[in-house]
Amino acid sequence: MSLVITSIEAKDIRFPTSKSLDGSDAMHTDPDYSAAYVILETNDTSLEGHGLTFTLGRGNELCVAAINSLSHLLIGKSLEDFTSDMAGFWRMITNDSQLRWVGPKKGIIHMATGAIVNAVWDLYAKSEKKPLWKLISDMSAEQLVSCIDFTYLTDVITSEEAIEMLSKLEATKYQRVDFLFKNGYPAYTTSAGWMGYSEEKIRRLSCDAKNEGWTHLKMKVGGNINEDIRRAQIIREEIGDGVKLMMDANQKWEVDEAIQNMKSLAKFNPWWIEEPTSPDDILGHLAIANAISPIKVATGEHCQNNVMFKQFLKSGAMSICQIDSCRIGGVNEALSIMLMAAKLNIPVCPHAGGVGLCEYVQHLAMIDYISISGSLDNRIIEYVDHLHENFIDPVIINDGNYMPPLKAGYSITMKKSSIDAFTYPSGKMWKIESVMV
Ligand SMILES: [Mg+2]
């Protein structure tokens, strides 16, 4: 019996994280971590596909509406219609002749695409009874490359080149799988460095992070520069010189301001500065990278699509590539970006945190290591200790490393009790919030 998608449900789920300032940074001062959550129902009642795109609260309803607008492209189709030609599936969903006008491949419609595409991959992995990372790393070089649409990318990489590149790694693939089962994939924590935390809390969390074995820690910057210096000083005092420190300005600065401020913060020896300025400013990032070397420039969580990534990667404006699992259009597009980064020898360090992003990106980073770049050099996944309890298959961290997920799917299925309680505005957690305000 072929598996047919019979309906698509899109849910508006929001967590009231703004109350504790978890996730606060220079630009996003009061986020309510939220998910536009997709459920693909099928003719097999025991098998559903799940996906989400992450937002900060207000506007989540726009992603839900965009998911509903895309759903006619899937309903009534069989999973095999898509899996027999994954690149064709992605071209189809990103090229609807009317919907593409509100993109193409950018903004809300593309975030909604990410949620749906990821739900299809989740369904595919569940139907094959494998975790997503295993489903894709078991593919031959030809099969993996056949999942990627190379439109507008061929000046950097062609499918033939990609097959040649990945074929070289095939013989040693399962050694890397063994390595992951033994050691996990290295992670860093952002939990200590949120902008809204008090000095005492930053000091305590930095000390805890070091004691828990974290070797890399990220802090938010982009507030008053003297306060950024003060917070960096506290963190360095607590973590010592042996722990790498990264900084994230969340797009706050002008280009010249970024250069000036990073010269003031250089004494704390940051490994990278993340999103120093507008996420669309390729030339600005390049100017910053040239001025503050050897500090690296990291960006990507707000980079809209693989054509933008191509330009950042090719020009030298991005020395750490921070793919996001659902701002771009899901797994297929993530694979294309990881391929370009591998060819240009730029490490991929996925953006996570949020809700569900850690669950998602662990799969992508493991695929990168096993099948695409074959390397862990300067590669590390973000980790934030928020909201994992809402997922059926939450991430497992051992001594600062992500352990390979074992359950079938993309690890993004939320518990039904969480979906019910945090559905906005009718869920019981939001009813309690409105009574308390
Ligand atoms: Mg960031």
Side-chain angles (χ1 to χ4, degrees):
M1 183 180 79
S2 70
L3 195 64
V4 176
I5 296 168
T6 51
S7 73
I8 296 181
E9 210 179 337
K11 290 187 170 287
D12 186 337
I13 298 166
R14 306 187 191 190
F15 298 90
T17 47
S18 58
K19 284 201 309 187
S20 54
L21 298 180
D22 296 340
S24 55
D25 62 50
M27 295 295 250
H28 315 100
T29 50
D30 59 347
D32 281 333
Y33 279 0
S34 300
Y37 188 80
V38 173
I39 303 171
L40 303 179
E41 289 176 344
T42 70
N43 54 339
D44 176 346
T45 49
S46 67
L47 212 46
E48 289 180 344
H50 298 246
L52 61 78
T53 198
F54 166 64
T55 78
L56 298 188
R58 291 184 291 279
N60 203 45
E61 72 284 2
L62 300 174
C63 287
V64 168
I67 290 165
N68 287 329
S69 299
L70 286 158
S71 60
H72 74 280
L73 297 168
L74 283 86
I75 292 170
K77 301 269 176 57
S78 75
L79 179 64
E80 206 193 340
D81 289 338
F82 303 146
T83 58
S84 59
D85 176 12
M86 267 297 192
F89 158 65
W90 196 80
R91 257 192 310 276
M92 179 276 291
I93 199 165
T94 54
N95 276 299
D96 176 87
S97 61
Q98 295 183 357
L99 283 172
R100 77 185 301 285
W101 196 263
V102 291
K105 298 177 195 156
K106 59 172 80 81
I108 293 161
I109 195 73
H110 209 44
M111 293 167 77
T113 300
I116 290 182
V117 167
N118 288 340
V120 167
W121 278 97
D122 179 65
L123 183 64
Y124 184 15
K126 283 175 179 162
S127 74
E128 297 288 325
K129 301 189 172 49
K130 290 181 182 181
L132 182 93
W133 67 266
K134 173 93 173 118
L135 173 78
I136 296 179
S137 8
D138 281 346
M139 291 178 177
S140 66
E142 288 83 0
Q143 285 170 322
L144 194 156
V145 170
S146 76
C147 299
I148 297 168
D149 174 20
F150 283 85
T151 306
Y152 305 137
L153 306 182
T154 53
D155 53 323
V156 165
I157 193 160
T158 62
S159 61
E160 294 76 17
E161 258 181 295
I163 290 170
E164 201 187 320
M165 209 171 91
L166 301 195
S167 298
K168 289 183 187 145
L169 293 172
E170 278 191 299
T172 52
K173 232 166 43 173
Y174 291 99
Q175 292 169 16
R176 289 185 290 281
V177 173
D178 285 346
F179 178 92
L180 289 176
F181 275 112
K182 279 196 198 95
N183 304 287
Y185 194 109
Y188 71 87
T189 177
T190 307
S191 295
W194 299 116
M195 190 65 95
Y197 286 177
S198 67
E199 286 194 10
E200 184 277 329
K201 189 169 182 179
I202 291 168
R203 195 175 284 284
R204 177 169 47 83
L205 291 174
S206 302
C207 181
D208 290 351
K210 190 183 176 196
N211 292 337
E212 285 163 19
W214 294 98
T215 55
H216 295 70
L217 189 144
K218 191 167 84 184
M219 65 174 290
K220 296 292 179 179
V221 294
N224 173 298
I225 184 63
N226 293 323
E227 283 168 24
D228 287 345
I229 291 170
R230 173 84 189 122
R231 288 165 58 254
Q233 193 166 357
I234 291 170
I235 292 173
R236 259 291 171 231
E237 278 169 19
E238 294 301 323
I239 64 176
D241 293 332
V243 174
K244 274 193 179 170
L245 177 63
M246 294 91 89
M247 297 179 175
D248 184 355
N250 288 89
Q251 313 163 19
K252 185 72 179 177
W253 296 323
E254 297 296 310
V255 172
D256 293 343
E257 198 182 7
I259 294 168
Q260 196 185 340
N261 287 343
M262 285 316 294
K263 291 201 163 149
S264 307
L265 289 162
K267 62 184 168 196
F268 303 107
N269 194 21
W271 179 28
W272 78 50
I273 176 66
E274 177 173 327
E275 289 201 303
T277 191
S278 162
D280 296 339
D281 190 350
I282 300 167
L283 296 178
H285 278 77
L286 183 58
I288 296 165
N290 287 335
I292 66 169
S293 176
I295 301 170
K296 296 191 176 304
V297 172
T299 188
E301 68 183 79
H302 271 83
C303 192
Q304 338 207 28
N305 55 46
N306 54 15
V307 179
M308 289 293 291
F309 269 100
K310 179 184 79 172
Q311 296 168 74
F312 270 103
L313 291 166
K314 200 176 163 185
S315 64
M318 174 191 282
S319 33
I320 303 282
C321 174
Q322 296 180 304
I323 46 169
D324 182 281
S325 48
C326 46
R327 177 171 297 282
I328 53 171
V331 174
N332 310 59
E333 192 168 12
L335 293 174
S336 75
I337 295 162
M338 294 195 294
L339 259 183
M340 290 191 285
K343 178 171 177 199
L344 297 167
N345 207 16
I346 293 169
V348 173
C349 298
H351 167 239
V355 56
L357 300 183
C358 297
E359 275 69 22
Y360 266 150
V361 298
Q362 58 180 342
H363 290 267
L364 300 176
M366 289 179 193
I367 294 161
D368 180 63
Y369 174 53
I370 298 165
S371 296
I372 299 180
S373 72
S375 171
L376 286 179
D377 291 350
N378 291 324
R379 288 165 173 85
I380 196 153
I381 312 175
E382 185 164 21
Y383 173 71
V384 181
D385 190 10
H386 298 155
L387 304 172
H388 301 293
E389 65 280 9
N390 298 291
F391 293 88
I392 283 175
D393 184 20
V395 292
I396 296 168
I397 301 285
N398 264 359
D399 291 333
N401 292 280
Y402 278 86
M403 300 315 290
L406 302 176
K407 288 203 172 102
Y410 201 177
S411 307
I412 207 69
T413 302
M414 264 191 205
K415 290 178 183 166
K416 187 168 183 315
S417 54
S418 298
I419 294 176
D420 291 346
F422 293 100
T423 291
Y424 183 84
S426 61
K428 80 169 183 279
M429 293 313 289
W430 286 104
K431 285 198 175 131
I432 294 168
E433 285 291 306
S434 63
V435 171
M436 286 173 72
V437 167

